[in-house]
Amino acid sequence: MENEEKAGQAPDASMATPRQTVAAAEAHPKPMLTVEQQIAHMKAKGITFELVSEEEAAAYLTDRTYFFKLYAYRTLFERRVGGPRDGQYVGLDFGHLKLLASLDRTLRYALLPMTLDVEHFARVKLVREVTERESEDGYSVVSDYLASLNHDDRRRRMGEIGSFLRDTYSGDLARKYSLPDNMPLWVYLEMASFGSFVDLWLFCARRWDDPAMLDAHYQLRQSKLVRNACAHSSNVINGFARSSGDIETNADVMQAIARTGISHRVRTAKMSNPRLQQIATLLYLHAKSVPEGTAKARARNDIAQFSARMDDALEALSKNDAVRSSFTFLMKLFDKWF
């Protein structure tokens, strides 16, 4: 019958009865809210609308972003404990959330090209290393690397290359060269993901017993995490108040931070934050490995724009210690390294 639902297909939400709608909301701990309900929820949490009106906020939440992404920046603000306003945020206006979201986007746009830079020049270095070593022919390093992998990892790498067979950009290369014995390093790198490349880098560092490359492997992994976050438009700044890192900062990076004049207490505290640790590692690697030229000039320009935006944010959020201390830390690294 036409009125019957198709097997496995949910009914049209517009046809749901009020009872069904209420039941659906009660079935989830975080029910979907309309824009009006989102604003009411924020007001109940102590968020004010003095810098941005409720009407402007509604338009922003409708056309420019969505509530879940914007509301995430509330974690940078303290909450009241006890009393009639228990649990409400202190000194948080919707305008602050909007400012932090815009600043976060500027930060991602500055960091993403930097991750591409360090990846590119790391690939250049690896090809140069292989070319200059008499023991390497450019082919065995790829075949030996693939042979060193366990069954599952090897299958993933082979599948990664196989996926390029019909690719518009690298399909010709994938069809011309076969793995594992007939593909030179410089061809493999054209199809290897950042993660696969970093894994190959580690293999080469161990193959050549190169401590500097082993250190750079850690730095490249940290940079890859920043790249993934930026490429997927993940919020970054909202995690600056956390101190839950379980990965020790690379000694070279920590020493470089110490040389900027940042105190032991501050650098230890900031490097315990995973996001600041990853960003600082990327900045260090970029400053160290990317030569002077257009890439370096673009990075300096992007950083200058972000620093100017941070100045505005520091003025607006001068009483927020998590924002103030984190931004001041980053600006110090920008000033010393770029």
Side-chain angles (χ1 to χ4, degrees):
M1 296 177 62
E2 292 183 355
N3 291 334
E4 291 180 351
E5 298 171 15
K6 296 181 181 179
Q9 181 175 326
D12 186 345
S14 65
M15 300 297 292
T17 66
R19 179 176 296 179
Q20 289 172 326
T21 302
V22 171
E26 292 177 347
H28 301 287
K30 299 288 185 180
M32 183 173 65
L33 303 177
T34 65
V35 170
E36 291 74 17
Q37 290 171 330
Q38 292 165 13
I39 291 175
H41 175 77
M42 285 187 282
K43 291 173 69 175
K45 293 295 184 179
I47 298 174
T48 59
F49 290 81
E50 297 173 2
L51 300 176
V52 175
S53 70
E54 292 183 30
E55 292 74 18
E56 292 172 321
Y60 187 74
L61 288 168
T62 301
D63 300 323
R64 304 297 295 273
T65 190
Y66 48 95
F67 176 68
F68 183 81
K69 191 169 187 67
L70 185 74
Y71 194 50
Y73 298 102
R74 75 192 186 282
T75 58
L76 294 169
F77 295 80
E78 295 181 356
R79 301 176 71 171
R80 301 181 188 277
V81 179
R85 300 175 66 183
D86 181 56
Q88 292 189 350
Y89 292 98
V90 179
L92 175 54
D93 190 270
F94 185 89
H96 297 146
L97 298 176
K98 184 179 177 181
L99 172 63
L100 288 167
S102 177
L103 188 64
D104 205 330
R105 184 170 59 252
T106 304
L107 175 61
R108 292 195 302 268
Y109 288 175
L111 295 179
L112 181 57
M114 296 178 70
T115 67
L116 301 178
D117 291 340
V118 299
E119 179 185 5
H120 169 73
F121 285 104
R123 291 176 187 245
V124 170
K125 175 177 173 55
L126 190 61
V127 171
R128 183 172 65 247
E129 287 285 339
V130 168
T131 303
E132 294 177 351
R133 289 178 181 271
E134 294 182 358
S135 59
E136 299 289 357
D137 61 6
Y139 289 78
S140 61
V141 68
V142 176
S143 58
D144 291 349
Y145 163 65
L146 292 172
S148 73
L149 300 174
N150 62 43
H151 174 75
D152 289 341
D153 286 342
R154 179 183 171 85
R155 185 175 61 180
R156 277 192 287 270
R157 297 292 182 271
M158 300 289 280
E160 187 174 71
I161 301 302
S163 67
F164 281 95
L165 290 171
R166 297 181 180 274
D167 184 71
T168 301
Y169 301 97
S170 299
D172 290 343
L173 291 174
R175 291 188 292 271
K176 182 176 180 179
Y177 295 90
S178 60
L179 286 173
D181 298 321
N182 194 39
M183 182 175 285
L185 174 66
W186 45 91
V187 172
Y188 178 72
L189 292 183
E190 291 299 302
M191 291 174 279
S193 66
F194 198 171
S196 296
F197 164 68
V198 172
D199 196 52
L200 172 62
W201 177 283
L202 177 60
F203 170 81
C204 291
R206 291 170 174 167
R207 178 185 181 92
W208 302 326
D209 191 23
D210 190 323
M213 285 187 67
L214 287 172
D215 271 348
H217 162 259
Y218 160 86
Q219 296 158 18
L220 286 167
R221 283 199 178 279
Q222 295 288 78
S223 299
K224 182 178 75 71
L225 294 173
V226 178
R227 196 281 303 270
N228 290 348
C230 294
H232 295 115
S233 295
S234 299
N235 289 353
V236 177
I237 292 174
N238 68 310
F240 281 0
R242 303 172 188 168
S243 297
S244 58
D246 56 1
I247 298 178
E248 186 176 351
T249 305
N250 177 259
D252 286 350
V253 177
M254 207 62 162
Q255 291 168 10
I257 296 174
R259 290 193 293 272
T260 67
I262 295 174
S263 70
H264 180 272
R265 180 186 63 81
V266 171
R267 64 178 182 266
T268 300
K270 293 310 174 188
M271 288 300 94
S272 69
N273 178 280
R275 300 188 190 188
L276 288 172
Q277 182 193 65
Q278 291 167 15
I279 293 171
T281 301
L282 168 65
L283 296 176
Y284 168 78
L285 185 56
H286 194 282
K288 181 183 72 171
S289 64
V290 177
E292 288 294 337
T294 56
K296 188 76 83 177
R298 187 216 62 249
R300 289 194 181 105
N301 181 65
D302 290 345
I303 284 173
Q305 292 186 36
F306 178 65
S307 293
R309 298 291 307 279
M310 280 201 297
D311 278 335
D312 294 339
L314 285 172
E315 183 176 350
L317 297 167
S318 59
K319 296 180 180 180
N320 187 306
D321 182 65
V323 172
R324 179 182 52 77
S325 61
S326 297
F327 287 5
T328 301
F329 172 75
L330 288 177
M331 291 175 74
K332 184 77 169 182
L333 297 185
F334 292 159
D335 180 61
K336 293 296 184 179
W337 292 349
F338 292 88

